[in-house]
Amino acid sequence: MKFWAILPAAGIGRRMGSSTPKQYHSICGTPVLIHSINRLLEIPEIEHLVVVLHPKDQYWPAFNFSNERVSTVTGGEERVNSVINGLQSLSGQANASDWILVHDAVRPCVTQSDIKNLMSQLKESKVGGLLGAPIDNTVKQLSDDNEIELTVDRSQLWSALTPQMFRFDLLKRSLSNAVSINLNVTDEASAIEAMGFKPIIVPGDKSNIKITHDSDLELARYYLSIGGKT
Ligand code: C5P
């Protein structure tokens, strides 16, 4: 049984309000996407990594990035379509029960120990799972007028992080099912859950932030400058 990785990097970073997509911002002299790729390449058990790029990506070619364990494919309209394209490119190489790790290109601070933990804790599982972190803040549900309607019990609430690790065949079937029933999925686990399965959360480090807004870049710079736990 082998491990493969897909890095969806075909987003345009609408929420950051910058013309440069967030995966191409530089941190400590290296683009976010390259940091993320390197974090996964540090894991020798990962056979190959597929980076999914926007059809009009103008940044990647300038890096002249070359590594025999890395290939690229073109992404789709939504994250789910990008991941499906990544999976298609692995058909013929990956077996049905091989593990696929899907990692957001905009999470450059993931630690080597968290990735290894995820892989070792789930490798005997039938379904798979993901890194996650408990929610610390009190959570409020608002009305359209920003009035609090409900304080949600946070004791069982967790944030879904990446990598998310599922078996090749189940992931392929679950994502196609989500697309065919028009289910809006923002991570792989949601698609697996919609098939009636129960992914497992493996606790991960909170430094594994998703770069979404400008201020996240500063935080990521800090985590990367202190080296992160490896
Ligand atoms: O938009 P969001 O923050 O959920 O994006 C998470 C990851 O999915 C990012 O790395 C982004 O580049 C990627 N993505 C993609 N294809 C899309 C939309 C997002 O690969 N169509």
Side-chain angles (χ1 to χ4, degrees), residues 7-13 15 22-23 52-54 75-83 103-107 186 210-212:
L7 262 104
I12 54 169
R15 282 170 290 184
K22 46 199 179 172
Q23 61 274 25
V52 190
L53 301 172
H54 192 274
E77 190 68 26
E78 303 292 337
R79 184 182 183 284
V80 62
N81 309 109
S82 296
V83 176
H103 183 60
D104 287 333
V106 288
R107 290 186 190 270
T186 51
K210 179 160 90 167
I211 296 177
T212 308

Side-chain angles (χ1 to χ4, degrees), residues 52-68:
V52 190
L53 301 172
H54 192 274
K56 293 190 176 151
D57 185 294
Q58 300 163 346
Y59 302 88
W60 177 262
F63 300 151
N64 284 323
F65 185 92
S66 167
N67 184 301
E68 54 182 17

Side-chain angles (χ1 to χ4, degrees), residues 9-160:
I12 54 169
R14 232 173 267 119
R15 282 170 290 184
M16 196 168 244
S18 153
S19 60
T20 309
K22 46 199 179 172
Q23 61 274 25
Y24 288 122
H25 283 254
S26 174
I27 299 182
C28 309
T30 302
V32 167
L33 172 58
I34 304 293
H35 280 291
S36 302
I37 291 173
N38 287 337
R39 287 281 154 130
L40 289 160
L41 284 177
E42 283 163 8
I43 312 287
E45 290 85 357
I46 296 178
E47 295 282 322
H48 191 86
L49 220 137
V50 181
V51 181
V52 190
L53 301 172
H54 192 274
K56 293 190 176 151
D57 185 294
Q58 300 163 346
Y59 302 88
W60 177 262
F63 300 151
N64 284 323
F65 185 92
S66 167
N67 184 301
E68 54 182 17
R69 286 168 68 211
V70 178
S71 59
T72 61
V73 291
T74 302
E77 190 68 26
E78 303 292 337
R79 184 182 183 284
V80 62
N81 309 109
S82 296
V83 176
I84 288 174
N85 291 1
L87 285 170
Q88 268 163 3
S89 79
L90 290 175
S91 304
Q93 297 179 76
N95 290 321
S97 60
D98 281 356
W99 288 111
I100 309 291
L101 285 89
V102 182
H103 183 60
D104 287 333
V106 288
R107 290 186 190 270
C109 306
V110 65
T111 63
Q112 205 181 354
S113 60
D114 273 0
I115 304 174
K116 284 183 171 168
N117 233 353
L118 180 78
M119 290 165 71
S120 65
Q121 289 199 27
L122 298 181
K123 72 169 188 272
E124 303 304 332
S125 147
K126 283 209 166 62
V127 179
L130 58 148
L131 289 177
I135 291 189
D136 297 325
N137 293 317
T138 301
V139 178
K140 307 289 187 187
Q141 187 177 308
L142 302 191
S143 69
D144 289 343
D145 307 323
N146 278 2
E147 288 169 348
I148 295 171
E149 290 194 322
L150 183 72
T151 297
V152 183
D153 174 14
R154 68 176 182 205
S155 62
Q156 289 182 308
L157 294 184
W158 284 61
S159 296

